[in-house]
Amino acid sequence: KVEAVQFFSHSPTVPYTCVDAPGLVLHPSSCPCYTLDMDTTRLALKDMTPELLLHEITASFPNAYEAAVFAAYYHRHDTRGPRGQLPRDPYIAHPYRVALRLIRWGVLDEVTIKAAVLHDVFEDHADDIEREEGLQADLFIPAEFGDDVWHIVYGVSNPPGRLSHEEYRAHVIEAIADDPRILAVKNGDLSDNALSLHHTPGPRRGRLARKNLPLAEPVMERLQDDDAVAFLGRKGAASALEMWKRGLPKLREFAQED
């Protein structure tokens, strides 16, 4: 199913249907039409379109392409809420930013990058996956992408049964303690959500800050553990920790808003 759907506009910078193979979505580098040689690494993540994010992700991890397209398919009708002066963007930009942030921090594990681009599909679209794929999402995802990818996705997800906020926090804290790969993805997720709330106006900002704040300190503490530093690398772990040190005071301030 993944190969049979065109997700983006025809452009040599993104996945597209080649004129020589109508109906077949290709990774652009596999097509003779592909000539792009572009360095996007100097661009801030918030300034990158989904196409540019995907280009940089697959430049480092070409085998993450199918997972990225699968995520794009199931998030295709989703958009992010308004964030101040930033444009309302397709939701898929969020998991792509999470994956690319991990890559820029120095994460070298392909399984973790695949899980990063997939990290919201189970929580947001389990019913859609079961309806379209004919198999429960918690069976289809590991069958399609592997048990390790599924282990990470499940670790950061609020299952479709919908845990309470308190139950979900306990689930995440247990999961990040168990596996530094889950820590990496959840930290990237929180970095893109909780630490970007200065772009979110109105009462929604306080509500989201209160939702995310209880996970901030457990994540910060876990980032300093030896296995987390070994997985992220010293530079990556230090960068992640520095983001929290800069952003946590504001997050606490936003949590006091009505």
Side-chain angles (χ1 to χ4, degrees), residues 107-177:
V107 170
L108 302 174
D109 181 57
E110 183 177 284
V111 165
T112 301
I113 301 306
K114 289 180 180 179
V117 299
L118 292 167
H119 79 267
D120 276 333
V121 291
F122 175 60
E123 181 172 324
D124 294 348
H125 292 290
D127 290 344
D128 297 328
I129 292 170
E130 181 174 358
R131 183 172 56 252
E132 297 209 24
E133 309 297 347
L135 193 64
Q136 288 180 198
D138 58 351
L139 299 175
F140 182 83
I141 294 171
E144 189 73 12
F145 301 106
D147 290 339
D148 282 353
V149 169
W150 167 244
H151 170 69
I152 299 169
V153 170
Y154 184 78
V156 300
S157 296
N158 188 339
R162 298 303 174 193
L163 302 174
S164 69
H165 287 325
E166 292 76 15
E167 291 169 330
Y168 174 65
R169 288 170 197 146
H171 163 72
V172 170
I173 290 169
E174 181 179 357
I176 65 174

